[in-house]
């Protein structure tokens, strides 16, 4: 079991959505220090002021996680002024929902820099101290899209496939080398935070409170994969057993997953 009591936690994208909810839940469990990374300066200031009423040891940093140099410099400040991080929750992410041929090169690079590369760079900066002290937990928010292809989200899917593969490879390395560092990969279905506004699906969209609670509970139990809802647990099995065209029929035609992004609007900005 991974106890959150007195642990120092860093959550990226922590000023809104499930990031903010996880911050609240972590504070309720009596963590030591909370560090929040977010690009939205106004929202970040609001949540830091709100959370300081619960715990004075809350620190917010305006960080563009698509900028590797900014990540490195900010984490150097964190380690010097705040101390070591026991639990990292790589939560920040974006989606640009459109057909692949409609993407610009800039959109491709931007999506991968936030959804994939940033997770690796942040983890790489924090891992040495975790390994040195023989403890730590890295939590990577991927997606069910890390298992299943889907039209109008090809670049997002690519970014999440990469996270799933990297995150679990990291877990194996940490276990094989007996570092004491745990790694959890989170693969939720669509979450109703506004990020996927306009999505239409037969499978119920997850409530943010439910998703955040499942993640925090999964961290406490040192779960390797945190999948939600239950159907997502069966995806790798179905994909492995069914011929591709049959899988396409079940997922695409019966569950109509391949049409979920048809009316996607996303957030206004």
């Amino acid at each position: 079991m991974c106890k959150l009591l007195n642990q120092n936690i860093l959550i990226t994208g922590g000023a809104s959505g499930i990031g903010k909810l996880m911050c609240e839940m972590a504070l309720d469990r009596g963590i030591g220090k909370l560090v929040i990374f977010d690009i939205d300066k106004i929202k970040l200031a609001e949540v830091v002021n709100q959370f300081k009423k619960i715990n004075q040891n809350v620190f917010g940093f305006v960080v563009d996680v698509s900028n590797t140099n900014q990540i490195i410099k900010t984490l150097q400040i964190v380690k010097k002024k705040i101390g070591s991080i026991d639990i990292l929750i790589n939560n920040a992410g974006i989606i640009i929902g459109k057909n692949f041929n409609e993407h610009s090169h800039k959109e491709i690079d931007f999506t991968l820099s936030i959804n994939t590369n940033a997770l690796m760079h942040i983890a790489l900066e924090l891992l040495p101290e975790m390994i040195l002290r023989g403890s730590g937990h890295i939590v990577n928010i991927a997606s069910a899209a890390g298992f299943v292809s889907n039209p109008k989200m090809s670049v997002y899917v690519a970014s999440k496939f990469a996270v799933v593969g990297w995150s679990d490879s990291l877990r194996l390395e940490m276990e094989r080398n007996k570092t004491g560092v745990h790694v959890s990969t989170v693969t939720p279905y669509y979450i109703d935070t506004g990020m996927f506004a306009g999505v239409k699906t037969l499978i119920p969209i997850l409530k943010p409170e439910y998703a955040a609670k499942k993640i925090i509970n999964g961290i406490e139990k040192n779960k390797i994969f945190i999948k939600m809802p239950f159907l997502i647990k069966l995806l790798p099995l179905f994909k492995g057993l069914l011929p591709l065209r049959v899988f396409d029929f079940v997922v695409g035609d019966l569950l109509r997953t391949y049409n979920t992004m048809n009316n996607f609007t996303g957030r206004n900005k």
Side-chain angles (χ1 to χ4, degrees):
M1 295 289 285
C2 172
K3 299 298 184 183
L4 272 65
L5 184 66
N6 297 324
Q7 299 290 287
N8 295 341
I9 300 182
L10 165 59
I11 301 179
T12 67
S16 62
I18 64 168
K20 179 182 177 183
L21 290 168
M22 288 189 290
C23 287
E24 291 177 324
M25 293 176 186
L27 288 168
D28 287 342
R29 282 162 168 77
I31 61 171
K33 298 175 183 177
L34 172 63
V35 178
I36 305 171
F37 281 8
D38 206 283
I39 197 170
D40 191 322
K41 183 178 181 179
I42 296 175
K43 283 187 178 179
L44 180 62
E46 290 174 352
V47 299
V48 168
N49 288 334
Q50 175 187 342
F51 293 155
K52 276 184 175 292
K53 297 175 182 177
I54 304 172
N55 183 335
Q56 280 295 311
N57 291 313
V58 178
F59 309 90
F61 293 87
V62 178
V63 182
D64 175 2
V65 295
S66 70
N67 186 322
T68 304
N69 288 331
Q70 196 174 131
I71 288 173
I72 295 171
K73 289 178 181 178
T74 306
L75 286 174
Q76 287 174 344
I77 294 171
V78 169
K79 286 182 278 190
K80 183 178 180 180
K81 294 187 175 181
I82 299 170
S84 61
I85 297 297
D86 300 300
I87 301 172
L88 163 65
I89 303 180
N90 271 317
N91 169 68
I94 64 161
I95 181 171
I96 302 172
K98 57 175 69 174
N99 292 318
F100 178 73
N101 60 288
E102 297 169 338
H103 277 281
S104 67
H105 292 290
K106 183 178 181 180
E107 288 172 340
I108 293 170
D109 290 342
F110 189 58
T111 300
L112 292 172
S113 68
I114 293 175
N115 290 2
T116 308
N117 299 352
L119 283 66
M120 297 185 191
H121 290 302
I122 296 171
L124 187 61
E125 284 297 303
L126 297 179
L127 262 175
E129 285 189 1
M130 291 183 177
I131 294 172
L132 188 63
R133 67 174 179 265
S135 66
H137 201 142
I138 295 175
V139 183
N140 299 307
I141 310 295
S143 168
F147 297 128
V148 180
S149 307
N150 203 26
K152 296 196 74 174
M153 58 192 312
S154 59
V155 177
Y156 179 82
V157 166
S159 72
K160 296 303 184 179
F161 260 74
V163 170
V164 170
W166 162 71
S167 183
D168 207 42
S169 295
L170 176 62
R171 173 188 67 83
L172 291 171
E173 291 173 357
M174 294 298 102
E175 291 177 352
R176 185 176 67 176
N177 295 323
K178 296 180 173 57
T179 63
V181 177
H182 298 279
V183 181
S184 299
T185 308
V186 184
T187 57
Y189 192 60
Y190 294 116
I191 303 175
D192 187 18
T193 60
M195 182 174 175
F196 292 102
V199 164
K200 304 295 182 184
T201 170
L202 294 178
I203 302 171
I205 295 177
L206 300 173
K207 295 297 182 184
E209 294 79 8
Y210 168 81
K213 185 176 181 180
K214 285 281 287 186
I215 295 169
I216 294 298
N217 289 344
I219 293 170
E220 292 179 318
K221 296 176 182 177
N222 286 332
K223 283 196 170 184
I224 295 173
F225 273 92
I226 302 170
K227 301 175 182 178
M228 62 188 99
F230 179 79
L231 180 62
I232 304 304
K233 297 181 179 181
L234 304 177
L235 273 177
L237 177 64
F238 288 158
K239 196 172 183 181
L241 292 178
L242 297 177
L244 183 56
R245 292 301 182 188
V246 176
F247 183 83
D248 283 346
F249 173 74
V250 173
V251 175
D253 295 338
L254 295 184
L255 295 178
R256 299 191 62 77
T257 301
Y258 295 168
N259 295 316
T260 54
M261 292 288 290
N262 287 355
N263 300 306
F264 171 80
T265 58
R267 292 194 176 98
N268 292 328
K269 63 176 180 177

